[in-house]
Amino acid sequence: MTDAWTPLAELTLTTSESDVVFSSIGGSYRDLVVVTNIDGSAQTELFIRFNGDTGSYVSLRLQGAGGTAAANTHSGNGMRLVGNGDIKTDFTFNSVIHIFDYASTSVHKHVLSRTNSSQGLDLCTGRWVNTSAITSVTLYPATGTFETGSTFQLWGLNTA
Amino acid sequence: MGVEYSIMKKTLIERIDVDSSGESNVVFSSISQEYDGLLLICSVRNDSTNLTFDIHPNGSSADRTRTTIQGSGAAATAATGTDITPLQDSSAYTANTFASTSVFIPNYTGSQTKGFSIESVTENDATTSYQRLQAGLWSNANAITSLELSTASLFAEHSSFTLYGVSAGSDGSTSVA
């Protein structure tokens, strides 16, 4: 099982970017996993899109911030993976984003993400309301940019 | 997500097993700086009723904070603190059971604040058993070269701690920009 995850691409930003795009993703894996360590230019939310599509995305979030737990939902033209304020400007934002059955052309695409920052932590589930195979993944902050030194890694997960 | 971490492409750095004499602390030292992240998998029980153990990056108790969401079998709570604390099984819990924990630490070699993504559960044949998500932070510019794991009493025999190095990379066809 030690080689179940295949590294596909990695990037460490040398300049600020308004988004990061993994593209030309092959369809030979069962799932995809994105791992990030982000410094933001602003305290804001993280979103994900697939194939550049601005159609319909929905997500459900469980958050712990301070001594309070909260849950809420979101729908829009991008999938919200964390709630307001969870990207921070202090390099403390980490995420592991699992994208299930990404190459299927029969099912909507489901996402499970775990994110941490000095703002708190989130567990999110999301769904891209689309049956297309995913060939690109875009990550972007709701406002501002990802800052120099932020890292982004993509993995393909084999199950056979 | 702990299961996902467990199958992540990784390199075994070291496994530490606790013997019958017990251990009050366990240390991974001289950790190589060649990986993109660290993954720590723990199976832990202690010889008292303590329900957490402590993680000290580079042996330090300073600069640590955390946010926690926890379920107890009957209620959900959230809390903050100035330590990093996965769960361990109490000696009062069902015999031969151990708490299971994964700790993921990306970018452990950098100068930025280090994040600890923790998922931890206790095992007990009773209503009360805990499930914990924790975001730990070590706000220190030093790279992590050692991890000390300590408990107020003793880690019990058969507790184990396994540290992996996680490597990213490229398949040569997928691009990112």
Side-chain angles (χ1 to χ4, degrees):
Chain A
M1 299 292 283
T2 55
D3 291 324
W5 285 31
T6 300
L8 301 182
E10 62 177 327
L11 174 68
T12 300
L13 293 183
T14 56
T15 60
S16 299
E17 297 286 352
S18 58
D19 62 21
V20 166
V21 183
F22 294 97
S23 57
S24 303
I25 301 171
S28 57
Y29 304 96
R30 181 70 181 188
D31 298 338
L32 298 174
V33 175
V34 180
V35 176
T36 73
N37 176 229
I38 293 172
D39 178 32
S41 65
Q43 182 174 323
T44 190
E45 301 170 321
L46 177 68
F47 281 80
I48 192 169
R49 283 189 181 130
F50 302 117
N51 297 357
D53 180 58
T54 54
S56 180
Y57 299 81
V58 295
S59 61
L60 172 66
R61 177 172 66 99
L62 171 65
Q63 180 186 29
T68 303
N72 54 49
T73 62
H74 179 269
S75 62
N77 62 9
M79 185 185 298
R80 188 186 70 174
L81 296 181
V82 299
N84 188 37
D86 275 350
I87 286 180
K88 291 281 288 179
T89 59
D90 55 8
F91 255 119
T92 63
F93 181 84
N94 302 312
S95 65
V96 178
I97 305 162
H98 193 132
I99 305 162
F100 295 87
D101 215 3
Y102 74 101
S104 170
T105 56
S106 302
V107 300
H108 292 175
K109 303 307 177 294
H110 298 81
V111 173
L112 176 63
S113 76
R114 170 70 199 281
T115 58
N116 296 330
S117 78
S118 57
Q119 186 73 12
L121 62 87
D122 295 78
L123 182 66
C124 291
T125 61
R127 180 168 57 94
W128 180 33
V129 188
N130 195 303
T131 59
S132 298
I134 291 172
T135 57
S136 75
V137 174
T138 301
L139 295 165
Y140 61 99
T143 60
T145 56
F146 299 134
E147 296 296 276
T148 299
S150 298
T151 61
F152 301 83
Q153 301 159 0
L154 180 67
W155 310 73
L157 172 58
N158 292 312
T159 57
Chain B
M1 301 289 274
V3 172
E4 294 164 15
Y5 292 142
S6 71
I7 58 175
M8 183 179 280
K9 179 179 177 68
K10 56 193 182 294
T11 301
L12 174 64
I13 296 175
E14 186 179 10
R15 171 173 170 142
I16 299 174
D17 293 290
V18 177
D19 63 21
S20 58
S21 60
E23 295 285 352
S24 61
N25 68 326
V26 164
V27 181
F28 295 95
S29 58
S30 302
I31 297 171
S32 171
Q33 303 293 291
E34 66 183 286
Y35 305 106
D36 296 295
L38 297 174
L39 174 66
L40 176 65
I41 302 294
C42 310
S43 178
V44 186
R45 184 180 180 93
N46 77 116
D47 71 347
S48 77
T49 56
N50 297 312
L51 282 171
T52 62
F53 65 96
D54 245 332
I55 298 179
H56 305 271
N58 292 2
S60 173
S61 296
D63 305 324
R64 298 179 303 161
T65 56
R66 45 94 171 163
T67 297
T68 302
I69 298 177
Q70 181 168 283
S72 67
T77 57
T80 61
T82 55
D83 48 18
I84 301 174
T85 52
L87 295 167
Q88 61 184 353
D89 258 24
S90 159
S91 60
Y93 281 14
T94 305
N96 302 315
T97 64
F98 293 77
S100 300
T101 293
S102 71
V103 182
F104 182 52
I105 313 167
N107 283 2
Y108 68 103
T109 64
S111 59
Q112 80 290 349
T113 292
K114 316 305 185 295
F116 291 67
S117 181
I118 298 172
E119 290 145 22
S120 191
V121 297
T122 60
E123 183 63 37
N124 188 25
D125 190 14
T127 299
T128 300
S129 191
Y130 293 92
Q131 310 84 40
R132 171 172 290 195
L133 298 177
Q134 186 171 98
L137 293 173
W138 187 47
S139 302
N140 190 293
N142 291 322
I144 294 176
T145 57
S146 72
L147 288 172
E148 178 184 341
L149 316 175
S150 67
T151 186
S153 186
L154 293 174
F155 293 126
E157 184 182 17
H158 305 305
S159 294
S160 67
F161 305 86
T162 308
L163 184 65
Y164 298 92
V166 178
S167 302
S170 172
D171 66 350
S173 57
T174 305
S175 61
V176 57

